Each structure stands twice: as C-alpha cells, then as structure tokens.
Amino acid sequence: MKLKELRKENQKTQDDLARALNVSHGTYNNYEQGKYEPNIDTIIKLANYYDVSIDYLVGRDYKNEIGYINETQKNSIKTLIK
C-alpha cells in the first residue's frame, strides 16, 4: 500500500492518521510497515481521507477503455499544475 508515500505527500504524521482512523499509533505503523493489512472499512476511510481510489491506494495500476492514466502521465500532470 502507498500509505507512507501519501502521508508524507500530505505532510501528515502517523499520529494524525491513527487519530483519523481511530486506531492506535502502533496499529497504523503496522499498516505502513506491511505487518498488518487494514480491513476494507479502514481502506475505504483511507481512500476518502486522501481522496484517491482504492485501486490507487493498494497499488493496483491497470489500463482499460475507461482511460486510467499511468504514473508517468500523472507526474506530467502534476508538473503542469505546479
């Protein structure tokens, strides 16, 4: 999962996320370290918190006719809007 990356991009601490998810610091740390997997309710809360899709959150990247963009395209867009 991209938890640490998203947390740092959003300038949040592990304590901030633990409070937002109503879990202990240790539990959240274990999510980031990959020691525990959050349940689906927690994954939904994380996706809502960061305003990202669950697919993005869990690292699923695929292409289909709907028009998902890859990481290179996302980075190009980020560069353009800065």
Side-chain angles (χ1 to χ4, degrees):
M1 293 184 71
K2 299 184 175 206
L3 296 179
K4 186 174 183 177
E5 174 187 321
L6 283 166
R7 180 175 58 79
K8 293 210 176 253
E9 283 178 13
N10 287 275
Q11 300 176 355
K12 300 293 181 182
T13 66
Q14 287 189 344
D15 285 329
D16 292 332
L17 270 294
R19 278 191 297 275
L21 299 172
N22 199 29
V23 298
S24 71
H25 173 91
T27 296
Y28 181 79
N29 182 56
N30 285 329
Y31 293 158
E32 274 196 15
Q33 299 299 315
K35 293 178 183 175
Y36 298 146
E37 292 290 326
N39 64 29
I40 190 65
D41 291 332
T42 302
I43 292 171
I44 291 168
K45 286 179 186 177
L46 285 162
N48 289 337
Y49 184 87
Y50 289 120
D51 194 26
V52 297
S53 71
I54 292 171
D55 283 338
Y56 178 81
L57 190 63
V58 299
R60 184 173 184 222
D61 192 20
Y62 60 92
K63 296 178 183 170
N64 64 24
E65 64 278 358
I66 297 173
Y68 288 94
I69 60 176
N70 63 36
E71 287 301 314
T72 302
Q73 292 166 321
K74 288 177 192 174
N75 291 333
S76 295
I77 292 168
K78 285 179 184 178
T79 301
L80 289 172
I81 61 173
K82 284 186 178 180

